[in-house]
Amino acid sequence: QVQLVESGGGSVQAGGSLRLSCAASGYGYSNYCMGWFRQAPGREREGVAVISTAGARLYYADSVKGRFTISQDNAENTLYLQMNSLKPEDTAMYYCAAAWCFGGRWVIRPTDFGYWGQGTQVTVSS
């Protein structure tokens, strides 16, 4: 049974930083693309950052490029999202997700990800 558990959300002022973590269990972590997505009230879920199975490919939404960094520790089956220079528009529920990517498959759309965590709230005040 795949389990993804996020942590690290909270409330910060604009310009601050947060580091999100996602602990994965129950499957072969190294065969999955891992991603961070977010959803604000009244808006569709959007991709924030995605990392491939070996970490060779990265995707960042234009809105977070240069501010957010996705990384993973395959030995610990943990995904991270370092968020710097946070803006009020970054306020959302952040979700960790996993998608089967064995054999070099590469996906970035939320609909391609079959496993999701429960989410962690990030609130940025101006």
Side-chain angles (χ1 to χ4, degrees):
Q1 182 179 357
V2 176
Q3 283 193 317
L4 302 172
V5 181
E6 302 97 333
S7 61
S11 297
V12 296
Q13 289 190 326
S17 298
L18 285 173
R19 188 192 196 202
L20 305 184
S21 298
C22 173
S25 62
Y27 66 104
Y29 181 87
S30 61
N31 291 323
Y32 285 75
C33 294
M34 300 296 297
W36 288 99
F37 298 82
R38 66 187 181 187
Q39 188 167 18
R43 303 190 65 177
E44 292 187 354
R45 189 169 296 189
E46 63 175 351
V48 175
V50 178
I51 187 167
S52 64
T53 55
R57 297 189 68 171
L58 300 174
Y59 161 82
Y60 290 100
D62 288 341
S63 58
V64 306
K65 283 180 181 177
R67 301 188 297 120
F68 291 10
T69 302
I70 188 171
S71 62
Q72 61 188 359
D73 183 336
N74 285 347
E76 296 294 329
N77 289 0
T78 302
L79 180 72
Y80 301 100
L81 184 68
Q82 178 66 44
M83 305 186 294
N84 298 329
S85 302
L86 282 161
K87 304 176 181 180
E89 51 263 44
D90 295 317
T91 295
M93 184 72 80
Y94 283 71
Y95 298 90
C96 167
W100 177 252
C101 280
F102 183 77
R105 183 173 181 248
W106 174 241
V107 294
I108 62 172
R109 299 176 303 176
T111 52
D112 292 320
F113 287 74
Y115 302 101
W116 294 83
Q118 82 289 347
T120 186
Q121 178 67 37
V122 172
T123 302
V124 185
S125 58
S126 58

